[in-house]
Each structure stands twice: as structure tokens, then as C-alpha cells.
């Protein structure tokens, strides 16, 4: 099963990668830039596997670069909000 098959799995995967980056000392701005690069790669190279990903891809494709950065930043916030509270 691909991480892209289910949106919750996709968010969990992104959250894990974000935690790893932060654990290695990457600052918030760098995490957001990586999220932008991942979003750009996915929109150009990977077919959406569910409705949520299809919507994100469509939004990404009609957005200018500034708006794409905003989408990436919102995805970072989304996965941060999904972190279990300690």
C-alpha cells in the first residue's frame, strides 16, 4: 500500500518527515521550503490517489509561486496540528 493511497497516511508520512527534519535541527523556514519542494515534485510527478490529494494538486497547479508557498505552509501546520499531544 502506498502512503498516497489514504490521505491520513499521507499526512502521517509528512508529519514523520517533518519531525525528523526538526529533530536534525532544521528550522521552521527550512521545513516550509522542503514542504514547498515536495509539493512541487508531487504536483508534477505523482498522480493523486484520493480526492483530497486531487484537490491539493488542482489548487497547486492554479496557484502562483507565492500561493504555492502558502499551501505548503498550511500543509506543515496541518501535520503539526495532527501531532499527538504529550
Amino acid at each position: 500500500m502506498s502512503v498516497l493511497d489514504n490521505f491520513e497516511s499521507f499526512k502521517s508520512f509528512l508529519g514523520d518527515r517533518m519531525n525528523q527534519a526538526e529533530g536534525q535541527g532544521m528550522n521552521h523556514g527550512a521545513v516550509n521550503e522542503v514542504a514547498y519542494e515536495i509539493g512541487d515534485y508531487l504536483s508534477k510527478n505523482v498522480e493523486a490517489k484520493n480526492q483530497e490529494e486531487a484537490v491539493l494538486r488542482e489548487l497547486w497547479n492554479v496557484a502562483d509561486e507565492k500561493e504555492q508557498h502558502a499551501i505548503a505552509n498550511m500543509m506543515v501546520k496541518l501535520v503539526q496540528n495532527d501531532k499527538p499531544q504529550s
Side-chain angles (χ1 to χ4, degrees), residues 8-9 12 25 30 37 48-50 55 64 71 74 79 85-86:
E8 291 303 316
S9 295
S12 179
E37 292 172 10
K49 301 287 186 187
N50 56 58
V55 168
D64 63 27
I71 293 168
M74 288 184 287
V79 299
Q85 302 298 319
S86 344

Side-chain angles (χ1 to χ4, degrees), residues 5-72:
D5 288 341
N6 175 289
F7 193 64
E8 291 303 316
S9 295
F10 175 65
K11 288 192 319 183
S12 179
F13 173 80
L14 290 177
D16 289 346
R17 300 294 85 73
M18 189 181 71
N19 289 338
Q20 286 177 346
E22 289 174 342
Q24 294 175 355
M26 191 177 281
N27 69 35
H28 188 70
V31 169
N32 286 340
E33 186 59 30
V34 170
Y36 168 78
E37 292 172 10
I38 291 169
D40 196 51
Y41 173 83
L42 291 173
S43 75
K44 292 176 181 173
N45 299 298
V46 178
E47 287 297 317
K49 301 287 186 187
N50 56 58
Q51 290 177 332
E52 295 91 347
E53 291 166 10
V55 168
L56 281 171
R57 182 184 194 138
E58 288 183 37
L59 289 171
W60 190 273
N61 289 335
V62 299
D64 63 27
E65 186 176 346
K66 183 177 179 180
E67 293 165 330
Q68 289 171 342
H69 274 87
I71 293 168

